[in-house]
């Protein structure tokens, strides 16, 4: 065995050994209990960063530990390989997106293998390869047949910089999630998936996800945004139509002093056709419709509006109610119209004050002592109705029920459940994505491409000119198709799918990755699913996680899978920071994983990143911490060598010090097992292993030899405990010690209760409640003997001599307290 630990001498050797011997290959085996652990797959940008290293190291520890615990572990990896960066690289550097992507995959796979990750590479998938996106297209077709995929003209989020449409979830504070440029509104015909059909189930089933962070579940609840209210209509005699409004506060309906339509509402142009200030109204509409949603709905943004000159009829009183248009109402949220109740809504109050509109107070507080004349803001709490006709005197809750019943009886409205969630817009005007398998025929209309013709392949003869039209439109042979129904000429759909479609089912493909007859076999998928432990960043709480849940529910309804949720457990790991900031090239604070691996080895990188902070907290990078982790592995290397040298055979019992050392070993086995089994306390598990190594050094420093069986037990169990964290050094030492097979194919150690038993215990001896000495005695010594030994201690004698002992309190194995006067 070499004198010192040199990571570079061993890591590549064992990585090759694991690959060649299929150490981490997984087979479908119903006789074994399965465990599916998965880290979110990366976009192949070219290089791993420390966030990746942390994510993968966490998953790798879980996978290795569960394998050693006897589970049949599925731990795959792949690539979320479609998306705009590849296309932008093509435009900028003249490199084909496919070439750029596959080169990046090759490099990042090499970096992952250099970390010693226990992936079954036979299951690798890349979403940009035909054997994957063929089935993405097939799944789209199943959604289409079920009526869950449809095309309509809609106002969409348009990023001019990326030249594509974005889903609502991809607009962050009015900016594109990818490039941080401002998002505009545009009218386009687009493809949608009916995620709203599953809103109730997506919401209700969050309560079944016991192993998800509450923070993520709250974010999804808020995004789905379920509310209970009433929907009813205001008639507009001038155009002989009625406009629907939805409100959760129908109890305030007698306080309505105006209604507001979104400037884009389809009735607006009819309403203002003969308005005296039509030019002013048109200019206002043009300006507002080009603002993004954040600018229009933020509480900080000043509310603007114009009176249309038209009136609606109040549905109960029949009074005229002025119709306004304003910047804070959106056409695609709710009905595109709201009732203005300034007295009981803060936004409406500010609007009414600005434009001198009536403020009608219709809800009093429970004490009925609100002075409306003195109010300087809206009263938005529930209370008792006033000035509300036959409903006066009711509580807000009772009035809501009574008014809904009244509307239903009159046929003008009813109770309604509403959602913030909107259907998922999946069209993208980009090339590097999955082609939508639809053709358009002048005679037969919209047609699905026949299943036997899938995949609809991405053409390579496209032009990337950075224009607003999809590059697919520049490929003549792609655009021209044959109608599968009549055999005539047809045109292909030139939009591609949102890349979040690809990542909404990849975890199912891993279960049966080489199947060329179906997306996955149901029996095999049912064995592996759902994912027992999913690991990834909090930034995916809404987009990816919500979409994946939706996909699985649809596939469940189609009979393709038995599970109703994709991920049983979810861990959202913290970020890796440098000097308190997120690592970024612009800040110059990026630490390269390859640099760390080349200098210290993969085991050091893994150990530091798992030890430096709890996994769900942000971790601040520390060069000193990395050095400390490397030194610790050097200590492990030396102590294993020294214990092998110190081992000797004798037939006698363990000495007192050997027994204490063995107790420390079994304490460590118990603690590390508890920290890994259903928990993610990796930092405390590593700390416990470090304490064991320290105990081994302390014993060595005071002794020349150690009983042979104990030496072997210590070395063997130390390596097994450390193996999930630092796989290379433990594999090397395992073989150097002469043990058979791979350390990673061994059974996880179990502790002996008997070994944890303590023969002696140290107890405190107090006089009048103050500790004066300590006493080491046999466990469970009787009270009389304890009292006698305590009184006999010289230090205690000093405090009780010449005094009257009133009583002696004895707590076995803890304290003796002598009370004197």
């Amino acid at each position: 065995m070499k004198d010192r630990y040199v990571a570079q001498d061993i890591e590549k050797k064992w990585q090759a050994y694991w690959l060649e011997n299929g150490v981490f290959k997984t087979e479908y085996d119903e006789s074994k209990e399965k465990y599916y652990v998965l880290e979110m797959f990366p976009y192949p940008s070219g290089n791993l960063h420390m966030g990746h290293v942390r994510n993968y190291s966490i998953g790798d520890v879980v996978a290795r530990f569960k394998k050693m615990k006897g589970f049949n572990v599925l731990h795959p990896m792949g690539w979320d390989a479609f998306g705009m960066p590849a296309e932008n690289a093509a435009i900028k550097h003249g490199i084909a997106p496919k070439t750029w992507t596959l080169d990046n995959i090759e490099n990042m796979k090499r970096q992952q293998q250099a970390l010693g990750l226990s992936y079954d590479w036979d299951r690798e998938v890349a979403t940009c390869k035909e054997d994957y996106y063929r089935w993405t297209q097939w799944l789209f077709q199943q959604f289409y047949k079920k009526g869950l995929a449809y095309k309509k003209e809609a106002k969409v989020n348009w990023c001019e910089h990326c030249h594509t449409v974005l889903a609502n979830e991809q607009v962050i504070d009015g900016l594109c999630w990818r490039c941080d440029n401002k998002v505009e509104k545009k009218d386009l015909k687009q493809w949608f998936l009916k995620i709203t059909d599953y809103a109730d189930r997506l919401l209700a089933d969050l309560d079944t996800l016991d192993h998800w962070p509450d923070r993520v579940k709250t974010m999804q609840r808020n995004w789905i945004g379920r509310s209970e209210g009433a929907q009813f209509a205001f008639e507009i005699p001038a155009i002989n139509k009625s406009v629907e409004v939805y409100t959760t506060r129908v109890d305030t309906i007698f306080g309505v002093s105006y209604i507001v339509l979104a400037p884009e509402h389809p009735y607006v142009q009819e309403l203002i056709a003969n308005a005296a200030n039509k030019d002013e109204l048109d200019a206002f509409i043009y300006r507002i419709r080009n603002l993004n949603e954040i600018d229009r709905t933020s509480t900080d943004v000043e509310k603007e509006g114009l009176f249309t000159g038209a009136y609606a009829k109040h549905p109960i009183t029949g009074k005229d109610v002025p119709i306004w248009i304003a910047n804070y109402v959106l056409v695609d949220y709710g009905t595109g119209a709201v009732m203005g109740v300034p007295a009981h809504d803060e936004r409406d109050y500010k609007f009414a004050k600005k434009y001198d509109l009536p403020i009608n107070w219709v809800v009093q507080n429970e004490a009925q002592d609100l002075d409306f004349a003195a109010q300087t803001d809206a009263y938005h709490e529930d209370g008792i109705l006033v000035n509300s006709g036959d409903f006066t005197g009711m509580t807000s809750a009772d009035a809501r029920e009574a008014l809904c019943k009244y509307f239903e009886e009159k046929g003008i409205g009813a109770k309604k459940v509403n959602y913030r969630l909107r259907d998922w817009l999946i069209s993208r005007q980009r090339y590097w994505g999955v082609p939508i398998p639809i053709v358009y025929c002048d005679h037969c209309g919209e047609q699905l491409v026949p299943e036997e013709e899938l995949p609809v392949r991405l053409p390579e003869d496209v032009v990337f000119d950075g224009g607003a039209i999809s590059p697919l439109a520049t490929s003549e042979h792609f655009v021209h198709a044959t109608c599968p129904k009549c055999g005539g000429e047809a045109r292909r759909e030139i939009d591609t799918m949102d890349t979040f479609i690809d990542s909404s089912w990849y975890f199912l493909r891993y279960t049966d990755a080489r199947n060329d007859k179906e997306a996955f076999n149901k029996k095999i998928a049912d064995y592996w699913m759902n994912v027992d432990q999913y690991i990834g960043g909090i930034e995916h709480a809404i987009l990816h996680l919500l979409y994946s849940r939706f996909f699985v529910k649809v596939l469940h309804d189609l009979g393709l899978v038995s599970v109703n949720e994709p991920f049983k457990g979810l861990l959202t790991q913290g970020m890796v920071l440098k000097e308190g900031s997120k690592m970024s090239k612009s800040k110059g604070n990026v630490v390269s994983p390859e640099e760390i691996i080349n200098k210290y080895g993969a085991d050091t990188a893994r150990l530091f990143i798992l030890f430096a902070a709890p996994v769900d907290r942000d971790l601040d990078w520390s060069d000193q911490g990395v050095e400390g982790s490397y030194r610790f592995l050097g200590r492990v290397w030396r102590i294993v060598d020294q214990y092998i040298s110190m081992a000797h055979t004798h037939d006698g019992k363990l000495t007192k010090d050997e027994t204490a050392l063995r107790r420390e070993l079994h304490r460590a086995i118990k603690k590390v097992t508890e920290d890994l089994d259903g928990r993610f306390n990796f930092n405390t598990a590593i700390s416990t292993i470090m304490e064991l190594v320290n105990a081994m050094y302390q014993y060595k420093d005071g002794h020349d030899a150690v009983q042979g069986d104990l030496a072997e037990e210590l070395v063997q169990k130390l390596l097994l405990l450390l193996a999930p964290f630092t796989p290379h050094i433990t594999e090397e030492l395992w073989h150097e010690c002469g043990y058979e097979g791979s350390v990673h194919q061994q059974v996880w150690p179990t502790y002996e209760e008997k070994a944890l038993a303590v023969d002696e215990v140290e107890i405190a001896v107090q006089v009048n409640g103050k500790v004066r000495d300590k006493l080491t005695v046999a466990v469970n010594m009787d009270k009389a003997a304890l009292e006698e030994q305590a009184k006999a201690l010289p230090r205690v004698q000093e405090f009780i001599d010449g005094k009257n002992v009133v009583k002696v309190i004895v707590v076995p194995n803890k304290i003796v307290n002598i009370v004197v006067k």
Side-chain angles (χ1 to χ4, degrees):
M1 185 166 164
K2 292 178 181 175
D3 291 342
R4 55 189 290 268
Y5 166 58
V6 182
Q8 290 75 11
D9 292 347
I10 62 173
E11 292 190 345
K12 280 191 167 50
K13 173 179 76 171
W14 290 116
Q15 289 157 13
Y17 171 88
W18 297 329
L19 207 57
E20 287 163 17
N21 291 277
V23 171
F24 307 119
K25 189 168 170 54
T26 304
E27 300 291 350
Y28 167 74
D29 184 351
E30 284 190 342
S31 69
K32 293 182 181 176
E33 188 176 357
K34 67 92 184 181
Y35 192 88
Y36 188 174
V37 57
L38 183 63
E39 304 98 68
M40 294 180 184
F41 64 172
Y43 179 79
S45 56
N47 286 290
L48 296 185
H49 54 67
M50 279 301 171
H52 289 129
V53 175
R54 192 179 198 195
N55 188 7
Y56 307 148
S57 298
I58 292 167
D60 201 48
V61 170
V62 175
R64 291 176 183 275
F65 171 70
K66 288 294 182 180
K67 186 179 176 72
M68 294 172 79
K69 289 281 283 182
F71 288 89
N72 188 22
V73 174
L74 178 58
H75 186 213
M77 181 45 66
W79 312 96
D80 192 7
F82 274 132
M84 289 186 286
E87 198 163 333
N88 291 340
I91 295 167
K92 189 175 179 180
H93 303 295
I95 303 169
K98 183 176 180 180
T99 304
W100 187 85
T101 302
L102 296 181
D103 285 351
N104 286 352
I105 287 174
E106 187 179 344
N107 187 55
M108 289 176 74
K109 182 175 179 179
R110 178 187 59 77
Q111 291 177 320
Q112 286 182 326
Q113 289 174 333
L115 281 165
L117 301 166
S118 60
Y119 297 133
D120 179 356
W121 285 108
D122 289 349
R123 295 174 182 268
E124 179 185 9
V125 302
T127 60
C128 67
K129 291 188 175 179
E130 289 176 13
D131 64 349
Y132 186 90
Y133 74 71
R134 167 191 180 185
W135 299 112
T136 303
Q137 291 173 340
W138 181 84
L139 288 170
F140 171 87
Q141 293 190 335
Q142 309 319 303
F143 277 67
Y144 184 91
K145 290 173 187 174
K146 193 173 166 59
L148 293 172
Y150 66 95
K151 195 173 191 181
K152 70 169 184 178
E153 184 155 300
K155 192 165 291 299
V156 296
N157 304 306
W158 177 261
C159 176
E160 184 60 31
H161 182 266
C162 295
H163 293 294
T164 194
V165 164
L166 303 171
N168 289 338
E169 293 85 350
Q170 292 167 319
V171 182
I172 313 297
D173 294 334
L175 304 178
C176 172
W177 74 293
R178 177 76 73 180
C179 70
D180 281 341
N181 279 287
K182 199 165 185 178
V183 172
E184 303 166 3
K185 284 291 183 182
K186 219 176 190 183
D187 289 313
L188 285 175
K189 211 165 186 187
Q190 303 285 287
W191 282 97
F192 292 82
L193 295 186
K194 279 191 180 178
I195 193 171
T196 52
D197 279 13
Y198 284 76
D200 271 329
R201 283 167 63 184
L202 287 166
L203 190 62
D205 288 349
L206 286 170
D207 292 335
T208 69
L209 300 176
D210 298 333
H211 303 287
W212 277 43
D214 287 338
R215 179 184 173 197
V216 173
K217 291 191 282 188
T218 298
M219 290 167 78
Q220 290 210 1
R221 281 191 187 97
N222 292 342
W223 189 260
I224 295 167
R226 185 182 190 275
S227 64
E228 293 184 8
Q231 189 158 310
F232 50 91
F234 285 77
E235 289 183 12
I236 309 175
I239 59 172
N240 199 27
K241 288 177 181 173
S242 58
V243 63
E244 297 271 335
V245 299
Y246 170 84
T247 179
T248 59
R249 291 297 307 274
V250 68
D251 54 309
T252 65
I253 189 167
F254 285 89
V256 172
S257 58
Y258 62 97
I259 65 170
V260 184
L261 303 186
E264 307 91 338
H265 195 286
Y267 292 177
V268 168
Q269 288 304 322
E270 216 175 330
L271 284 172
I272 67 172
N274 300 311
N277 60 337
K278 188 171 187 304
D279 289 346
E280 182 188 15
L281 285 160
D282 284 338
F284 178 77
I285 291 165
Y286 179 80
R287 178 168 64 85
I288 298 303
R289 69 179 293 152
N290 284 310
L291 294 175
N292 64 60
E293 289 174 17
I294 299 296
D295 287 346
R296 287 174 64 173
T297 58
S298 169
T299 53
D300 300 329
V301 173
E302 187 177 355
K303 308 303 178 251
E304 296 181 76
L306 282 175
F307 176 42
T308 62
Y311 292 85
K313 292 290 182 185
H314 192 286
I316 299 177
T317 68
K319 290 180 180 178
D320 282 344
V321 178
I323 303 172
W324 285 63
I325 55 174
N327 62 343
Y328 64 87
V329 181
L330 305 174
V331 72
D332 52 357
Y333 270 66
T335 64
V338 298
M339 63 182 204
V341 185
H344 304 291
D345 181 274
E346 187 177 342
R347 181 187 60 187
D348 295 348
Y349 184 88
K350 289 177 180 174
F351 192 80
K353 281 290 186 183
K354 180 175 180 177
Y355 294 107
D356 199 23
L357 294 165
I359 298 175
N360 306 320
W361 300 93
V362 295
V363 179
Q364 253 288 4
N365 66 12
E366 299 245 348
Q368 307 226 17
D369 59 4
L370 269 184
D371 180 0
F372 294 136
Q375 282 288 113
T376 57
D377 202 351
Y379 176 70
H380 49 75
E381 305 295 332
D382 277 7
I384 308 296
L385 266 62
V386 295
N387 306 321
S388 298
D390 294 342
F391 303 91
T392 296
M394 288 186 179
T395 65
S396 288
D398 289 345
R400 285 194 281 271
E401 287 294 322
L403 281 159
C404 285
K405 190 175 177 184
Y406 173 85
F407 285 154
E408 286 171 8
E409 289 170 353
K410 297 290 184 184
I412 56 174
K415 274 186 180 179
K416 177 92 184 279
V417 173
N418 223 1
Y419 297 91
R420 180 177 183 268
L421 183 69
R422 291 291 172 266
D423 278 344
W424 177 7
L425 191 159
I426 66 162
S427 289
R428 298 294 178 269
Q429 291 65 45
R430 301 302 299 237
Y431 163 76
W432 194 234
V434 180
I436 296 172
I438 294 281
V439 298
Y440 302 97
C441 171
D442 288 341
H443 301 290
C444 308
E446 193 176 278
Q447 297 291 319
L448 283 176
V449 172
E451 285 183 15
E452 61 272 16
E453 292 181 20
L454 299 180
V456 175
R457 291 178 173 85
L458 276 173
E460 297 191 13
D461 59 335
V462 294
V463 177
F464 299 105
D465 60 2
I469 193 167
S470 169
L472 287 179
T474 67
S475 171
E476 286 290 323
H477 90 270
F478 177 83
V479 172
H480 294 295
T482 302
C483 174
K485 192 172 181 182
C486 71
E489 284 189 11
R491 303 174 308 284
R492 285 199 192 280
E493 171 62 70
I494 59 170
D495 283 355
T496 53
M497 294 187 214
D498 179 6
T499 56
F500 280 99
I501 297 278
D502 310 331
S503 59
S504 292
W505 75 279
Y506 78 108
F507 42 87
L508 284 160
R509 183 62 178 173
Y510 280 144
T511 66
D512 196 15
R514 302 281 81 90
N515 192 334
D516 62 356
K517 300 290 189 294
E518 51 194 341
F520 47 85
N521 177 272
K522 182 179 187 296
K523 187 180 177 184
I524 294 173
D526 283 349
Y527 168 69
W528 287 114
M529 288 296 289
N530 39 24
V531 176
D532 294 278
Q533 190 57 59
Y534 199 36
I535 304 161
I538 191 76
E539 66 273 17
H540 299 291
I542 293 169
L543 289 162
H544 166 58
L545 291 170
L546 188 65
Y547 293 155
S548 297
R549 294 182 62 224
F550 165 54
F551 247 70
V552 166
K553 290 183 188 308
V554 174
L555 299 186
H556 170 86
D557 292 354
L558 290 167
L560 296 172
V561 294
S562 296
V563 295
N564 197 37
E565 286 285 341
F567 314 120
K568 181 180 177 182
L570 174 67
L571 171 69
T572 52
Q573 85 276 2
M575 290 192 298
V576 181
L577 312 174
K578 182 83 186 286
E579 293 153 2
S581 299
K582 186 178 178 180
M583 291 186 185
S584 71
K585 289 177 183 175
S586 61
K587 292 176 184 169
N589 65 345
V590 173
V591 177
S592 159
E594 283 204 281
E595 191 181 312
I596 299 299
I597 291 169
N598 291 338
K599 186 173 180 181
Y600 297 104
D603 283 343
T604 293
R606 292 167 58 117
L607 188 70
F608 166 74
I609 217 155
L610 294 168
F611 176 60
V615 293
D616 57 346
R617 308 258 183 88
D618 290 345
L619 177 155
D620 212 337
W621 185 265
S622 160
D623 294 335
Q624 292 78 14
V626 176
E627 284 277 0
S629 296
Y630 182 68
R631 284 197 304 273
F632 169 71
L633 293 180
R635 281 168 60 78
V636 170
W637 183 275
R638 292 190 298 277
I639 202 68
V640 167
D641 187 31
Q642 287 161 350
Y643 266 66
I644 292 169
S645 303
M646 287 169 61
H648 73 95
T649 305
H650 69 71
D651 299 327
K653 288 172 62 178
L654 295 181
T655 66
K656 180 180 173 182
D657 287 351
E658 286 175 332
T659 300
L661 182 56
R662 188 166 189 266
R663 186 184 307 118
E664 188 65 21
L665 169 64
H666 284 265
R667 185 191 72 80
I669 294 170
K670 184 175 190 286
K671 180 71 167 65
V672 173
T673 305
E674 288 171 350
D675 281 344
L676 299 187
D677 216 350
R679 305 179 195 170
F680 301 95
N681 299 340
F682 299 157
N683 58 325
T684 56
I686 293 168
S687 179
T688 299
I689 296 170
M690 289 175 170
E691 288 168 8
L692 173 61
V693 170
N694 288 341
M696 290 171 71
Y697 268 97
Q698 285 169 4
Y699 177 89
K700 176 196 74 75
D701 292 343
H703 303 80
D704 296 326
V706 62
Q707 210 272 352
D709 288 347
L710 176 59
E712 182 167 357
E713 185 184 17
L714 282 160
V715 166
Q716 192 179 73
K717 301 287 169 53
L718 169 64
L719 295 179
L720 292 173
L721 291 178
L722 201 50
F725 302 98
T726 55
H728 307 89
I729 187 174
T730 49
E731 189 78 281
E732 177 74 11
L733 291 171
W734 184 261
H735 285 265
E736 283 289 340
C737 292
Y739 300 128
E740 293 293 316
S742 168
V743 69
H744 305 295
Q745 291 176 317
Q746 307 309 308
V747 175
W748 184 257
T750 55
Y751 69 91
E752 293 176 18
E753 201 69 60
K754 190 171 69 175
L756 295 174
V758 179
D759 296 329
E760 293 182 329
V761 64
E762 186 178 72
I763 63 171
V765 180
Q766 300 175 336
V767 178
N768 289 347
K770 291 187 177 178
V771 177
R772 299 303 182 184
D773 208 341
K774 290 181 179 175
L775 194 63
T776 301
V777 297
V779 171
N780 297 325
M781 177 182 281
D782 67 70
K783 289 186 177 183
L786 272 173
E787 181 179 333
E788 186 181 337
Q789 286 201 24
K791 286 178 178 177
L793 289 168
R795 182 89 174 108
V796 172
Q797 287 282 324
E798 293 176 23
F799 290 94
I800 66 174
D801 269 356
K803 293 180 181 174
N804 181 33
V805 176
V806 178
K807 61 180 173 178
V808 179
I809 301 164
V810 178
V811 182
N813 298 332
K814 291 192 176 176
I815 62 163
V816 175
N817 183 21
I818 303 166
V819 181
V820 297
K821 278 189 178 178

